[in-house]
Amino acid sequence: MKANERWGIVGHAWAVDSLEHAIRTRRAAHAFLLAGPHSIGKTTLARALAKRLLCMANDASVGQGDLFGGVSAHEPPCGECRACVKNAKGVHPDVMLLEGVPSRDYYNKNGSMVPPRKSDREKRILLVDQMRDMEKWLSTAPFEGKSKIGIVRRFEDANEEAQNAFLKTLEEPPSHAILILTAQDAGLLLPTIVSRSQPLTLRPLAVETVARALVEKWNAQEADAQLLARISGGRLGWAVRALSTPNVLDMRREALGALNALVQEGRAERISRAEKLSKEAGELPQMLETWQTWWRDLLLLASEQNARVTNVDYLNALQAQAGMFSLEEIQRALNATRNAARQLGQNVNARLVTEILALSLPRV
Ligand SMILES: [Zn+2]
């Protein structure tokens, strides 16, 4: 069995192989940094790594005090030992998972401390106090295993102060402590954090890999699986969530409907449509992501790479537009959409961003 299958991970074989190799040759670091786009499987891999490290099958062939363990007759993670069973349920007492709290703006506006998670891009903040709590937890001896594993999701949600609060633990971790950080991009973190951890960047999976997993592991219909795999851009986590949230496909249809209306409208109509769209602030990031897939598809059609198109169910409409817009117009529209998405992330006024974007799109 391949290592990634044994770990219960779809794809990312090279990443699992390299972690497995580091563990077996005892060259694994005390801190790992898993980077990659959101919903690509970083937290899933972090949990699997924790399970692999805590699996008691490790203990069979190595002496006491050996943190990472060696090879045993039952290849870890065995899936059967007490540690594996607890990890599968997410209740192992030596694993702690930390993520930021929703940002102050968000819950002040909504009057609630724990709002439902509305989108993948919802802003969160990792607080200094949370970091200190985890440091304190890591400093005491493990309850059951030989190590304690702290997983911190989306470390880019930590500001400089919070990242710095963590630096000491990264520099001189207790001998039993292992840290696994995830982040969309190592470039968003302090260099001092990155240099003290073993980095690994996950890349999107092949469309076929995502589609097959959706059918085999999540019982998706073949046609749904193919479509979601393409829209997901190779991010399995996104595709799995979309599968159980019918709303996602509806939102996509609405987003593409709005875009196709906009490119047929004049200035005044665009401004009023933009104003309406900007009122659904929570849905804007997802809408702009969908719009980007549209312009990318037009670029692909222009270079005759039809097989790589994301919005396969809109192929006719795409082909019609590919004949109407110049390559330059398409590229400009893609850049404008990307910029708008970035500005929304920086809290620029949603109405302004949407309006400027609407006016900069080409007209059919
Ligand atoms: Zn086990």
Side-chain angles (χ1 to χ4, degrees):
M1 194 190 267
K2 289 180 189 155
N4 64 325
E5 288 167 14
R6 202 170 61 243
W7 285 40
I9 299 285
V10 175
H12 303 307
W14 67 273
V16 175
D17 285 344
S18 98
L19 288 169
E20 182 70 45
H21 181 75
I23 294 167
R24 283 178 189 231
T25 55
R26 297 171 199 196
R27 276 193 221 112
H30 275 268
F32 298 89
L33 171 60
L34 307 180
H38 73 85
S39 301
I40 202 164
K42 301 184 293 294
T43 304
T44 304
L45 181 57
R47 286 181 186 278
L49 174 58
K51 187 176 172 189
R52 166 68 179 84
L53 290 167
L54 289 170
C55 173
M56 293 157 88
N58 280 331
D59 300 349
S61 64
V62 292
Q64 285 288 317
D66 185 329
L67 188 58
F68 293 109
V71 187
S72 89
H74 327 273
E75 292 211 74
C78 69
E80 290 165 4
C81 71
R82 201 178 58 210
C84 280
V85 170
K86 286 190 175 177
N87 266 316
K89 289 186 192 155
V91 296
H92 197 294
D94 291 321
V95 178
M96 180 174 172
L97 188 137
L98 189 68
E99 68 178 339
V101 296
S103 70
R104 207 163 290 275
D105 283 352
Y106 187 91
Y107 52 77
N108 278 351
K109 201 171 66 198
N110 289 271
S112 155
M113 287 298 285
V114 276
R117 200 169 159 183
K118 276 188 96 178
S119 80
D120 297 327
R121 297 273 172 92
E122 180 202 310
K123 270 212 165 321
R124 285 175 174 265
I125 309 182
L126 276 162
L127 305 169
V128 177
D129 285 351
Q130 290 180 288
M131 299 297 195
R132 299 234 162 94
D133 283 348
M134 177 170 266
E135 279 186 308
K136 213 164 132 194
W137 178 82
L138 281 170
S139 69
T140 59
F143 297 103
E144 291 184 7
K146 280 180 302 189
S147 40
K148 261 187 167 175
I149 300 175
I151 302 173
V152 188
R153 288 187 80 181
R154 314 211 307 196
F155 201 68
E156 71 268 26
D157 291 345
N159 62 19
E160 206 172 315
E161 189 193 3
Q163 289 192 29
N164 272 324
F166 220 50
L167 207 52
K168 207 182 119 246
T169 301
L170 276 179
E171 277 170 345
E172 294 165 35
S175 59
H176 59 259
I178 297 167
L179 281 161
I180 311 173
L181 312 177
T182 79
Q184 290 204 20
D185 182 349
L188 297 169
L189 309 182
L190 294 177
T192 42
I193 298 281
V194 181
S195 66
R196 281 162 183 78
S197 50
Q198 191 165 316
L200 210 61
T201 300
L202 300 187
R203 289 187 286 263
L205 302 178
V207 170
E208 261 320 303
T209 307
V210 175
R212 204 170 51 241
L214 290 177
V215 171
E216 289 174 3
K217 295 189 155 201
W218 282 275
N219 300 317
Q221 302 291 321
E222 182 67 38
D224 291 349
Q226 286 294 338
L227 181 60
L228 285 173
R230 280 175 184 268
I231 304 172
S232 75
R235 295 169 300 147
L236 182 59
W238 188 95
V240 168
R241 255 207 316 285
L243 192 64
S244 58
T245 329
N247 199 11
V248 167
L249 285 179
D250 293 341
M251 275 169 65
R252 165 178 169 269
R253 225 178 334 259
E254 278 170 31
L256 293 180
L259 177 61
N260 278 287
L262 268 175
V263 293
Q264 296 176 42
E265 290 172 342
R267 191 181 159 84
E269 294 164 294
R270 288 186 185 205
I271 291 176
S272 87
R273 184 180 295 277
E275 190 192 342
K276 252 180 261 154
L277 291 173
S278 68
K279 285 185 179 141
E280 300 292 330
E283 289 167 13
L284 279 180
Q286 188 58 54
M287 183 184 86
L288 295 185
E289 208 170 284
T290 304
W291 287 12
Q292 289 182 53
T293 66
W294 186 266
W295 299 112
R296 268 199 301 267
D297 281 352
L298 288 177
L299 283 181
L300 288 169
L301 287 180
S303 55
E304 290 177 0
Q305 300 187 64
N306 300 26
R308 291 181 54 208
V309 163
T310 295
N311 299 294
V312 274
D313 49 342
Y314 282 79
L315 202 55
N316 288 339
L318 281 166
Q319 268 161 343
Q321 280 189 21
M324 289 183 237
F325 296 139
S326 73
L327 210 53
E328 207 188 337
E329 284 175 321
I330 298 170
Q331 187 64 61
R332 234 188 348 245
L334 177 59
N335 290 344
T337 313
R338 241 185 233 143
N339 277 338
R342 194 161 39 232
Q343 287 175 327
L344 279 183
Q346 294 162 345
N347 291 328
V348 179
N349 180 288
R351 187 173 156 188
L352 187 69
V353 171
T354 319
E355 203 176 291
I356 291 173
L357 175 59
L359 291 176
S360 65
L361 298 178
R363 188 169 181 173
V364 293

